[in-house]
Amino acid sequence: MSNPRLESAIYQEWQLPRASTFIPHLMVFPSFWLVLAPINADLGLILGVLASAVSVWIRFAMSKRIIVSENYLQIGKATIPRNVLGQATVIVQSEQFSERGPRLDARAFVALKALSGLVKVQVEDSNDPTPYILISTRRPTQLAEALNK
């Protein structure tokens, strides 16, 4: 199977974390410094800065990427051939809660984040029990258009 990142992308989105998700990271530095200050304040300072930088780097590294190429849809580490995908529809704001909750099929593949847009993509593979893919996105209209090409 070829790598969709090497093919030319029709649509790309990197779901970066929101600024508010970094608030807990503000406590990493003082925690290291306070624990190590009685032993060696300089070591606490250095390890606190390093631990903070590593925790922020991990937050960015764990961010999902959505890539739509000519042959594949990639969501994070999942790669789905486009020939098994059906119609992609944008879920309107008023229906998003029920799509993520009461109407969610337990067999569905979900890639949800706290984003304002939601796209539902039908899976038309008879060998796959997954009925659809539910994707949170910042640009739902562009993602649905790219998948429906």
Side-chain angles (χ1 to χ4, degrees), residues 23-48:
I23 292 172
H25 296 275
L26 296 174
M27 296 308 297
V28 173
F29 170 75
S31 299
F32 271 82
W33 184 76
L34 285 173
V35 168
L36 294 172
I39 300 165
N40 186 340
D42 292 337
L43 180 64
L45 180 77
I46 293 167
L47 289 179

Side-chain angles (χ1 to χ4, degrees), residues 31-106:
S31 299
F32 271 82
W33 184 76
L34 285 173
V35 168
L36 294 172
I39 300 165
N40 186 340
D42 292 337
L43 180 64
L45 180 77
I46 293 167
L47 289 179
V49 168
L50 286 174
S52 296
V54 167
S55 68
V56 168
W57 177 80
I58 288 171
R59 175 74 66 172
F60 277 105
M62 299 299 289
S63 297
K64 287 184 180 157
R65 290 181 191 238
I66 300 172
I67 301 172
V68 178
S69 70
E70 197 66 38
N71 299 313
Y72 296 98
L73 164 63
Q74 183 174 358
I75 307 166
K77 293 181 180 178
T79 303
I80 303 121
R82 294 224 10 226
N83 61 352
V84 299
L85 298 178
Q87 184 70 21
T89 55
V90 176
I91 307 299
V92 294
Q93 191 75 31
S94 61
E95 295 292 317
Q96 287 184 10
F97 179 79
S98 60
E99 285 291 337
R100 288 187 305 246
R103 288 196 300 214
L104 181 65
D105 190 324

